[in-house]
Amino acid sequence: MDNRPIGIFDSGVGGLTVASQVIKQLENEEIVYFGDTARVPYGNKSKEIITKFSCQDVRFLLSKNVKAVIIACNTASANSLDDLINKFDVPVFGVVVPGAKEAVRVTQNQKVGIIATIGTVRSDAYKKAINIVNANVQVYSKACPLFVPLAEEGWANEEITRLTAEKYLKELIEKGVDTVVMGCTHYPLLRQCLQSVVGNEVRLVDPAYETAMAIKEYLVKNNMLRVAETKPQHSFFVSDTTDMFEKICSKALEKRYSTEEIDIESY
Ligand code: DGL
């Protein structure tokens, strides 16, 4: 038994889609979430800066006495997971490997598309993780930077989002992929639109769900689940207070939470 909370960090609000899955799959666990809203986006930054920011994010979570850390941000998972594992004495989980494993499991024709930020595509992390599991799977990646602001704007079902998705996804559809990994925290918020563009026969993989299942397996195996009669209390921290957080929070977690602002530069 380990009653300490699970730490989750993201570059901002997008990681709430991951927090939502963790809360659903591990309903007795407490969450400490940090969204780096002052320094978002991470998606177009260099590996060095992403890793520097991620280290600060982990240090903050450790100050809250977390028992494990989930990197909800695909860009940080893709660029900084190994550095964080080596640097910190706490189990650290990224979203890339669970998402990659699921893509390999579901593809029938061995053609997988990855949609993600520029930083995630540049790292090739999904391709590498997929090909470790199955070297025969062909991976086609496409950076879709405009999806992040569209999701944050709440334009999940607007014409502009559909047109943008059609343009971004054209290449992947032409390659004949039967599976597309939504390799960015925000994309599950656009799921309906993405599905209608790729067609119902293409499987969309959400790494958030797979990550929540992976951490559940780890906590069970290591006897680290929270055992308590009281209802779990979640806490949310940001580096800059914005309306966006509450907006996405009510959408992703179907509940309003208040946030506390912290100075991430001091970690
Ligand atoms: N959280 C980032 C990701 O999943 C998207 C937003 C950003 O660029 O920071 O890659």
Side-chain angles (χ1 to χ4, degrees), residues 10-12 14-15 40-44 72-76 117 120 148 183-186:
D10 178 48
S11 54
V40 68
Y42 284 12
N44 52 13
C73 180
N74 285 258
T75 308
T117 63
T120 299
V148 169
C184 172
T185 47
H186 289 61

Side-chain angles (χ1 to χ4, degrees), residues 155-190:
W155 287 359
N157 299 309
E158 301 289 325
E159 176 77 351
I160 189 169
T161 308
R162 195 181 53 75
L163 292 172
T164 309
E166 279 173 6
K167 193 163 171 68
Y168 278 147
L169 300 173
K170 189 168 179 277
E171 253 173 78
L172 300 182
I173 295 168
E174 282 170 3
K175 296 284 183 200
V177 300
D178 71 350
T179 303
V180 172
V181 179
M182 295 183 287
C184 172
T185 47
H186 289 61
Y187 300 177
L189 296 168
L190 306 177

Side-chain angles (χ1 to χ4, degrees), residues 56-243:
Q56 290 178 312
D57 302 344
V58 174
R59 272 187 223 112
F60 166 70
L61 291 173
L62 288 175
S63 77
K64 295 289 165 197
N65 195 27
V66 298
K67 62 183 167 190
V69 169
I70 301 177
I71 314 172
C73 180
N74 285 258
T75 308
S77 299
N79 285 277
S80 315
L81 176 67
D82 291 345
D83 288 294
L84 298 183
I85 288 175
N86 290 333
K87 205 174 174 99
F88 295 103
D89 196 16
V90 64
V92 183
F93 297 83
V95 288
V96 171
V97 171
K101 282 186 181 160
E102 179 62 5
V104 173
R105 196 184 68 78
V106 301
T107 183
Q108 302 278 318
N109 70 359
Q110 318 291 304
K111 289 183 183 179
V112 172
I114 307 296
I115 52 174
T117 63
I118 292 167
T120 299
V121 169
R122 181 194 57 213
S123 75
D124 237 3
Y126 270 104
K127 183 172 168 24
K128 287 177 198 154
I130 286 174
N131 287 147
I132 283 173
V133 186
N134 184 341
N136 295 324
V137 175
Q138 292 178 54
V139 182
Y140 305 98
S141 304
K142 179 76 186 165
C144 308
L146 291 177
F147 283 163
V148 169
L150 288 168
E152 292 198 350
E153 201 59 35
W155 287 359
N157 299 309
E158 301 289 325
E159 176 77 351
I160 189 169
T161 308
R162 195 181 53 75
L163 292 172
T164 309
E166 279 173 6
K167 193 163 171 68
Y168 278 147
L169 300 173
K170 189 168 179 277
E171 253 173 78
L172 300 182
I173 295 168
E174 282 170 3
K175 296 284 183 200
V177 300
D178 71 350
T179 303
V180 172
V181 179
M182 295 183 287
C184 172
T185 47
H186 289 61
Y187 300 177
L189 296 168
L190 306 177
R191 186 176 194 131
Q192 233 183 329
C193 170
L194 299 178
Q195 190 74 69
S196 77
V197 170
V198 292
N200 284 336
E201 58 292 345
V202 174
R203 287 282 297 268
L204 291 180
V205 170
D206 179 1
Y209 171 78
E210 306 308 327
T211 304
M213 297 313 283
I215 188 158
K216 184 174 185 174
E217 197 184 313
Y218 178 88
L219 294 180
V220 170
K221 207 161 141 192
N222 291 281
N223 196 21
M224 283 172 72
L225 286 172
R226 175 176 178 267
V227 182
E229 296 291 309
T230 52
K231 268 184 80 173
Q233 301 292 322
H234 308 308
S235 15
F236 295 85
F237 297 85
V238 289
S239 47
D240 185 27
T241 308
T242 61
D243 292 346

